[in-house]
Amino acid sequence: MAESTKTATLSFEGKTVDLPIRTPTAGPDVVDISKLYAQGGVFTHDPGYTSTSSCESKITFIDGDKGELLHRGYPIDQLAQKSHYLEVCYLLLYGDLPTAAELEDFESRVTNHTMVHEQMHNFFRGFRRDAHPMATLVGVVGAMSAFYHDSTDISDPWQREVASIRMIAKVPTIAAMAYKYSIGQPFVYPRNDIDYAANFLRMCFAVPAEDYEVDPIMARAMDRIFTLHADHEQNASTSTVRLASSSGANPFACIAAGIACLWGPAHGGANQACLEMLREIGTPDRIPEFIARAKDKDDPFRLMGFGHRVYKNFDPRAKVMKQSADEVLDLMGIHDNPTLQVAKELERIALEDEYFVDKKLYPNVDFYSGIILDAMGFPTSMFTPIFAVSRTVGWVSQWKEMISDPAMKIGRPRQLYTGHTRRDYVDVENR
Ligand code: ACO
């Protein structure tokens, strides 16, 4: 990227500060304020980072107005239709699509790291059976930092590579174990002779008492869900991973921090919340009641699966996911799914409603993913863990990019302090 010669000038209280403007390969120009405090003695204030770029990245680009999502330049709809999850993982991690030999080598490395240390099984037994699988996932992925000591020296590129492969390979195993534990069934070990998505389904749904054949339609749908959630530039959980890692912390612990952030209903938890909402609506005739609630300023209710911080046109992942939902339900012979009927009608009504049109609130990826996962037999509590499995590669790719950047420094935001100014301590008897 050529250095820009453009500058922005900030004038206040008789001072003038020239701020360099950096021009990205795509997206709006960025005013570099990193020297603003040194030169002008002021901070900037942007809660929720709505106008702030927190890092330089070459991995994912989103054009929210156009509804475009590119991974290393490739549009998500092309990747979802023509590629598959592990190839997209390679693309995100290493920057280009792999050759056949590179892909084979990568798939074999991931496949050969899918088992977890046997001692880790004991962690699960410490959780209550009714714990949310996300709670178990956060805990057990965090616990990985107490194992695998040969891949935690983040200054060593080889150890970073091994840690990356381990996370992509083992998080699905841990998520499946969290599910099995929650339903009181024995853990199912991964198999090296089936692909990533099929392996995950098998670890979730097989039982030792009988043979289990993975349905290729289910495996393809699972792979597509993984692919569509693989990365999404500097979202809340990815920024959490970057901030946690910026102190040089243990990589496994940093991914656990990302999982914790993802859990919230405004982020990854929305897929569970959305399906629960669709079920609560129940029948299309109740939709107007829920639309009215979503529009009521005095009601905290929001239509789950609608709206996005960045997409103000449509979420390109939702388009592919909607197609997938139709395909999967059709192929599984489910034609009168009431939840899908409610979803379709809700989408139609909301997209014509002035409130949603004016605020540019469109269905996001989570609007349809829950319907597919439900049809596959997953309980709603597994929806967000599945999102975490998919997003692990995004977190890891962004982490690797940050750690290998020589300009990396600890993330340390400033604040607009509005508390008390200095005051003297008063002894308890005088208060
Ligand atoms: N239903 C009803 N109103 C909504 C919704 C919604 N789903 N989303 C936003 N709005 C309204 C807000 O009330 C606000 O109205 P106002 O301007 O009159 O106050 C306006 O639209 C803007 O909303 P913000 O919360 O400021 O938008 P922000 O960009 O901060 O939030 C978010 C984005 C969190 C995704 C929000 O749209 C939301 O809560 N959606 C529901 C949860 C959801 O589906 N999350 C999944 C996100 S995608 C993902 O993580 C994969």
Side-chain angles (χ1 to χ4, degrees):
M1 185 181 64
E3 269 312 310
S4 167
T5 49
K6 288 191 278 186
T7 52
T9 304
L10 182 67
S11 303
F12 59 99
E13 292 173 351
K15 287 188 220 171
T16 299
V17 182
D18 285 330
L19 300 163
I21 295 182
R22 300 189 61 187
T23 305
T25 49
D29 281 353
V30 171
V31 181
D32 183 343
I33 56 159
S34 53
K35 302 273 184 303
L36 177 61
Y37 179 57
Q39 291 172 5
V42 289
F43 298 145
T44 55
H45 184 60
D46 182 18
Y49 309 111
T50 54
S51 303
T52 297
S53 142
S54 62
C55 63
E56 187 178 323
S57 182
K58 294 181 168 55
I59 302 174
T60 293
F61 173 73
I62 302 172
D63 185 326
D65 293 324
K66 273 206 241 160
E68 186 173 67
L69 166 61
L70 308 177
H71 290 321
R72 303 284 190 182
Y74 297 100
I76 189 64
D77 46 328
Q78 288 184 23
L79 294 173
Q81 307 286 353
K82 298 183 180 173
S83 182
H84 63 275
Y85 183 66
L86 279 188
E87 187 175 65
V88 172
C89 288
Y90 185 100
L91 176 68
L92 290 167
L93 279 168
Y94 305 112
D96 282 305
L97 288 170
T99 62
E102 284 166 341
L103 182 59
E104 195 186 332
D105 171 63
F106 178 69
E107 289 183 335
S108 139
R109 279 189 293 142
V110 171
T111 305
N112 284 296
H113 277 91
T114 46
M115 272 170 52
V116 295
H117 194 292
E118 197 65 11
Q119 187 78 8
M120 291 191 85
H121 291 214
N122 297 333
F123 280 105
F124 288 89
R125 302 193 207 291
F127 286 94
R128 283 171 55 136
R129 292 268 177 195
D130 61 357
H132 193 290
M134 275 304 269
T136 315
L137 194 64
V138 174
V140 180
V141 172
M144 284 174 81
S145 54
F147 292 78
Y148 313 116
H149 300 298
D150 57 344
S151 57
T152 54
D153 176 1
I154 60 160
S155 63
D156 176 351
W158 175 244
Q159 294 202 29
R160 293 203 294 267
E161 176 66 21
V162 176
S164 306
I165 298 287
R166 279 189 169 136
M167 286 189 267
I168 295 162
K170 294 185 202 302
V171 172
T173 309
I174 296 171
M177 290 169 83
Y179 173 53
K180 284 299 199 189
Y181 184 76
S182 74
I183 55 171
Q185 288 187 2
F187 299 137
V188 175
Y189 286 88
R191 290 269 301 260
N192 289 354
D193 57 343
I194 50 176
D195 70 38
Y196 192 87
N199 204 9
F200 180 68
L201 290 171
R202 195 178 166 280
M203 289 189 291
C204 288
F205 296 125
V207 288
E210 58 189 37
D211 290 338
Y212 179 82
E213 279 282 313
V214 181
D215 182 334
I217 296 161
M218 294 251 289
R220 176 73 195 132
M222 189 76 257
D223 190 88
R224 191 170 278 183
I225 288 177
F226 286 159
T227 303
L228 289 174
H229 289 88
D231 189 45
H232 214 225
E233 53 116 309
Q234 309 313 320
N235 56 84
S237 56
T238 302
S239 298
T240 301
V241 171
R242 278 190 178 257
L243 191 57
S245 314
S246 74
S247 68
N250 181 296
F252 301 103
C254 296
I255 298 301
I259 296 173
C261 177
L262 185 78
W263 194 358
H267 192 7
N271 53 13
Q272 171 171 354
C274 180
L275 195 83
E276 285 166 359
M277 176 195 77
L278 294 173
R279 283 191 184 143
E280 194 192 340
I281 297 174
T283 48
D285 58 299
R286 294 193 62 210
I287 291 173
E289 179 196 324
F290 283 81
I291 297 258
R293 283 188 61 196
K295 288 156 66 170
D296 182 354
K297 282 261 158 268
D298 299 323
D299 189 331
F301 174 78
R302 283 187 168 200
L303 275 192
M304 299 314 286
F306 271 79
H308 198 276
R309 169 60 62 79
V310 181
Y311 295 120
K312 300 298 176 197
N313 185 330
F314 64 90
D315 180 340
R317 302 166 302 170
K319 255 190 171 176
V320 185
M321 199 64 92
K322 182 177 177 181
Q323 247 176 36
S324 266
D326 285 335
E327 278 166 25
V328 170
L329 297 185
D330 202 32
L331 290 164
M332 292 173 86
I334 305 173
H335 298 295
D336 52 355
N337 180 298
T339 319
L340 185 65
Q341 279 171 12
V342 172
K344 286 193 163 162
E345 190 56 9
L346 179 62
E347 183 189 20
R348 191 189 65 75
I349 295 176
L351 292 182
E352 285 172 1
D353 190 290
E354 211 178 311
Y355 175 93
F356 289 87
V357 174
D358 285 356
K359 294 190 187 302
K360 300 186 173 175
L361 298 170
Y362 295 87
N364 58 48
V365 67
D366 291 326
F367 191 66
Y368 282 102
S369 63
I371 293 166
I372 306 179
L373 292 171
D374 179 51
M376 286 173 152
F378 285 106
T380 51
S381 61
M382 273 305 284
F383 293 3
T384 317
I386 288 169
F387 192 163
V389 170
S390 328
R391 184 55 58 82
T392 296
V393 68
W395 295 326
V396 167
S397 305
Q398 303 267 350
W399 165 78
K400 268 185 80 182
E401 180 180 67
M402 188 185 82
I403 302 284
S404 36
D405 182 352
M408 174 186 125
K409 52 169 77 169
I410 187 166
R412 204 318 186 170
R414 307 306 286 252
Q415 65 173 3
L416 169 64
Y417 178 71
T418 53
H420 285 287
T421 51
R422 188 199 147 102
R423 50 182 175 163
D424 289 325
Y425 181 81
V426 180
D427 291 332
V428 70
E429 59 273 18
N430 296 327
R431 284 175 220 159

